[in-house]
Amino acid sequence: MARHSRVSASKPRDDRWTIAARYHERTKHRYEQFARSPERLDWENEPAAFRRFAGAALFRLPLPAGDRTPPYEAIYRTGSIAPQPVSLDALSRLFFYSLAVSAWKSAGGARWALRVNPSSGNLHPTEGYLAVYGLEGLTSAPGVYHYAPEEHALERRCEFAPGVWERLAAGLPAGAFFVGLSSIAWRESWKYGERAFRYCQLDVGHALAALRVSAAMLGWRLFFLPNVADEETSRLLGLERREDFVEREREAPGLLAAVAPGGEAIGPLSFRLNKEAVAGAAAGPWFGKANRLSPNHQPWDVIDEVERACRKEPGGPPEPPAPPHGAQGAAGADGAEAEFRRVPCGKSAGRIVRQRRSAAAMDGETGISRGTFYGMLGRLLPALSDSPWDCLTWPPFVHLKLFAHRVEGLAPGLYALARDGRQTEALKAAMKPSFRWERPADCPSALPLFLLEERDVQVLAVQLSCGQDIAGEGAFSLGMIAAFEGVLRRCGAHFYRRLFWEAGMIGQVLYLEAEAAGARATGIGCYFDDPVHEVFGLRGQEFQSLYHLTVGGPLEDRRPLQTEA
Ligand SMILES: Cc1cc2nc3c(=O)[nH]c(=O)nc-3n(C[C@H](O)[C@H](O)[C@H](O)COP(=O)(O)O)c2cc1C
């Protein structure tokens, strides 16, 4: 594998990936200069917190009566939870434990909502959609609904003509339906400028993992559909209907996923949407007009450009081979799991998911045990943990480099985790030759974790994370490095988005794992890209750091927090 690959090293097969690679370079934070963003926050144009469609019928979802969710640990093992029948109540729970408002915070006379899924700057660019058959409590006709978190309700956007649904769902198991995600880049670019496209994709990843976990609580499975083109997602969800949106507040297609409520596997790699059915859905009738989020907008052309370049087109390069999952050989995975000796946290999945919060500050004292640390990292390996990884169709491209500060029984220093053991050698070849690559004490054999360098890395972690103390005052922090240039070249520019989704999903699992361990996490989107690469000896664009995160003991946030049931 070439160590010094450059973006322009050889003629690309599809040069859209070079647009993504250039965007990535251009939006790096550097010590001497942050990525371009507004010089000051334009409060007059702060985007409204919630999207609504005026004129669309609103169907309030029943708030779950009591916590009927399984023990937290069960969500990681497919087949361990009995499938629930599809009903309005069950759909309510799907959203209540994934994209809903979970608390309200107030300070200085302002009050704002916090959600089950985290979001960079709490700006929530991600919108959720549902395409489903007729259900008691909704309309009897199949159609498309937008999820409205503030009301915990579904807004009816489209009613399908007879026959459309049957063709859309052909090839899916009985009772299956679709969920979709979209992004309003303006929400993020209002604050973060050019780097906003990255944050939108990370947020999609968090939301996808949140939905997968929520589906798991109902005994359902959820599969991202990789061969659905963005144009089809747009038409199915009504996102291409220019007349329904303020121009600069349009929603870019994120992804379409199928939910299998019987708990069966579907073949996401072979699933294609029927063209006539998509045309039928687009023909409507459609209801409602999107609310205006801001009076004025600052355009960021580079985001429009990268969004276009990274669209998933019909056809395109073949999908990479499906990854090995925990279920690959249940016995093998179970044996490897036994090595982790995890102690159940004693809380329900619903409680962990709804209590999740970001730590605004870490206490600089609380540590976690070595066993807890290994246990958390084990959840990130598709070979050991079915969910949420079974909703993706590609092998792990994102790995971890860790800054261990307060992991009891583990030397402080730099570590590396290959999320797929077969990638260890590639990581080793790409990183500093002086690194030790030693197995830490008692590390489960199934966890490809290695000590690279032993030293105090607290100051370094803070410095690399834009000077944010949370990176050094937790028990550990980390950066997620993705196999980058090779993946974009081989798999296409749309994989630029998917790499961030994978990173966002890792973030979501670590948020939950931190809560289960009595600690707290915070995602870190602000870090100095190339200085991070330098510390690990990574050159060129073979690997790139896409997201950071910290886990530790939180300092109490004194701003009043009111949780929703
Ligand atoms: C992609 C992403 C990037 C983030 N980056 C940072 C960051 O650099 N610094 C920070 O303090 N918090 C960061 N956060 C945490 C958000 O500020 C937090 O999720 C948001 O305020 C909502 O709060 P909640 O997580 O408690 O719901 C990030 C979150 C996400 C999802």
Side-chain angles (χ1 to χ4, degrees):
M1 190 171 291
R3 273 199 79 189
H4 301 281
S5 51
R6 286 205 325 260
V7 177
S8 56
S10 65
K11 199 162 164 40
R13 190 173 51 175
D14 165 7
D15 71 359
R16 290 188 309 141
W17 77 267
T18 62
I19 297 176
R22 272 204 310 274
Y23 167 82
H24 193 72
E25 278 303 308
R26 177 185 168 127
T27 54
K28 284 181 171 173
H29 285 331
R30 303 170 200 278
Y31 284 144
E32 58 286 5
Q33 196 174 24
F34 283 98
R36 277 190 65 211
S37 66
E39 276 157 25
R40 57 171 190 89
L41 280 185
D42 176 7
W43 291 109
E44 310 237 305
N45 288 307
E46 182 189 14
F50 296 104
R51 162 128 293 169
R52 285 292 312 278
F53 286 90
L58 186 79
F59 297 84
R60 288 191 188 272
L61 294 167
L63 285 175
D67 182 352
R68 284 179 284 154
T69 63
Y72 167 70
E73 291 73 18
I75 59 179
Y76 295 103
R77 184 42 53 111
T78 296
S80 61
I81 300 164
Q84 305 291 304
V86 180
S87 65
L88 198 64
D89 179 62
L91 282 181
S92 167
R93 286 191 276 153
L94 179 68
F95 287 109
F96 188 75
Y97 294 113
S98 57
L99 305 181
V101 170
S102 55
W104 291 86
K105 220 173 222 186
S106 50
R111 185 170 178 267
W112 63 95
L114 295 166
R115 306 196 197 178
V116 172
N117 54 320
S119 170
S120 19
N122 199 31
L123 293 165
H124 288 285
T126 313
E127 298 293 327
Y129 286 86
L130 172 74
V132 71
Y133 37 83
L135 264 181
E136 203 182 320
L138 291 176
T139 41
S140 54
V144 176
Y145 297 81
H146 168 250
Y147 177 62
E150 190 175 19
E151 294 79 7
H152 186 54
L154 292 169
E155 297 180 290
R156 186 175 60 156
R157 283 282 286 141
C158 178
E159 182 178 316
F160 296 149
V164 169
W165 174 260
E166 290 68 20
R167 274 183 285 175
L168 270 180
L172 293 181
F177 57 90
F178 301 98
V179 289
L181 295 173
S182 70
S183 301
I184 308 175
W186 163 245
R187 280 193 189 288
E188 289 286 317
S189 62
W190 167 76
K191 180 170 183 187
Y192 296 114
E194 293 193 349
R195 203 166 156 104
F197 183 75
R198 297 179 177 210
Y199 296 159
C200 288
Q201 307 311 319
L202 289 171
D203 278 25
V204 166
H206 275 284
L208 176 60
L211 279 165
R212 172 65 191 105
V213 162
S214 183
M217 289 185 214
L218 292 155
W220 298 352
R221 296 190 73 180
L222 183 147
F223 298 91
F224 163 62
L225 299 170
N227 284 309
V228 172
D230 281 335
E231 174 192 302
E232 295 174 307
T233 304
S234 270
R235 299 192 79 201
L236 178 62
L237 303 181
L239 312 179
E240 96 300 1
R241 295 176 53 77
R242 300 190 96 92
E243 64 274 35
D244 292 352
F245 295 87
V246 170
E247 178 59 26
R248 296 224 65 89
E249 298 177 357
R250 291 180 63 199
E251 298 175 22
L255 57 86
L256 194 72
V259 178
E264 57 277 79
I266 66 166
L269 280 163
S270 55
F271 181 83
R272 303 277 189 289
L273 277 180
N274 175 295
K275 284 189 179 44
E276 285 152 35
V278 174
W286 288 82
F287 311 100
K289 297 261 182 249
N291 58 339
R292 179 180 267 277
L293 303 175
S294 303
N296 289 304
H297 311 90
Q298 178 175 358
W300 295 95
D301 295 346
V302 68
I303 293 187
D304 299 341
E305 182 189 39
V306 72
E307 202 172 275
R308 275 194 305 274
C310 294
R311 289 215 157 195
K312 160 73 183 146
E313 303 288 351
E319 289 292 324
H325 282 298
Q328 53 168 339
D334 283 344
E337 265 298 297
E339 273 194 278
F340 284 89
R341 283 177 262 139
R342 290 194 188 93
V343 182
C345 72
K347 290 186 178 170
S348 71
R351 176 139 174 231
I352 293 290
V353 157
R354 300 245 341 153
Q355 76 171 47
R356 183 213 62 78
R357 282 277 70 81
S358 293
M362 296 291 185
D363 63 10
E365 286 172 12
T366 307
I368 57 166
S369 73
R370 194 165 62 192
T372 303
F373 180 64
Y374 294 154
M376 286 179 172
L377 298 184
R379 298 282 194 220
L380 306 178
L381 268 54
L384 297 179
S385 195
D386 298 323
S387 164
W389 312 114
D390 57 358
C391 79
L392 295 184
T393 48
W394 59 88
F397 288 141
V398 182
H399 310 282
L400 304 190
K401 49 192 169 33
L402 297 121
F403 303 81
H405 309 311
R406 289 169 203 83
V407 182
E408 289 147 26
L410 205 68
L414 301 178
Y415 289 78
L417 174 79
R419 288 181 54 247
D420 170 357
R422 295 170 305 176
Q423 301 301 317
T424 307
E425 285 310 310
L427 284 169
K428 211 167 172 173
M431 289 191 189
K432 276 187 187 163
S434 60
F435 283 157
R436 286 160 60 176
W437 292 92
E438 273 170 22
R439 299 276 296 148
D442 292 341
C443 185
S445 56
L447 192 67
L449 177 71
F450 300 89
L451 167 68
L452 304 179
E453 211 169 84
E454 188 177 328
R455 63 185 168 110
D456 184 334
V457 286
Q458 291 180 76
V459 173
L460 177 69
V462 172
Q463 186 187 334
L464 294 172
S465 294
C466 299
Q468 302 188 76
D469 289 339
I470 44 172
E473 301 202 324
F476 68 94
S477 61
L478 57 91
M480 304 179 200
I481 43 168
F484 192 80
E485 185 178 327
V487 171
L488 300 194
R489 272 177 188 277
R490 277 196 319 277
C491 307
H494 56 282
F495 258 85
Y496 183 57
R497 288 159 55 202
R498 295 185 185 178
L499 292 177
F500 280 106
W501 301 350
E502 190 179 330
M505 291 180 72
I506 293 171
Q508 188 66 16
V509 170
L510 285 171
Y511 262 109
L512 301 185
E513 280 289 289
E515 296 291 339
R520 189 138 273 184
T522 307
I524 299 180
C526 189
Y527 55 88
F528 293 112
D529 300 69
D530 284 340
V532 172
H533 300 143
E534 268 159 43
V535 166
F536 290 85
L538 300 168
R539 314 251 195 109
Q541 282 202 336
E542 185 187 352
F543 287 96
Q544 292 287 288
S545 201
L546 300 188
Y547 189 21
H548 284 210
L549 186 131
T550 180
V551 174
L555 273 183
E556 193 196 337
D557 186 342
R558 293 187 188 281
R559 294 172 296 186
L561 181 78
Q562 185 198 334
T563 52
E564 301 259 302

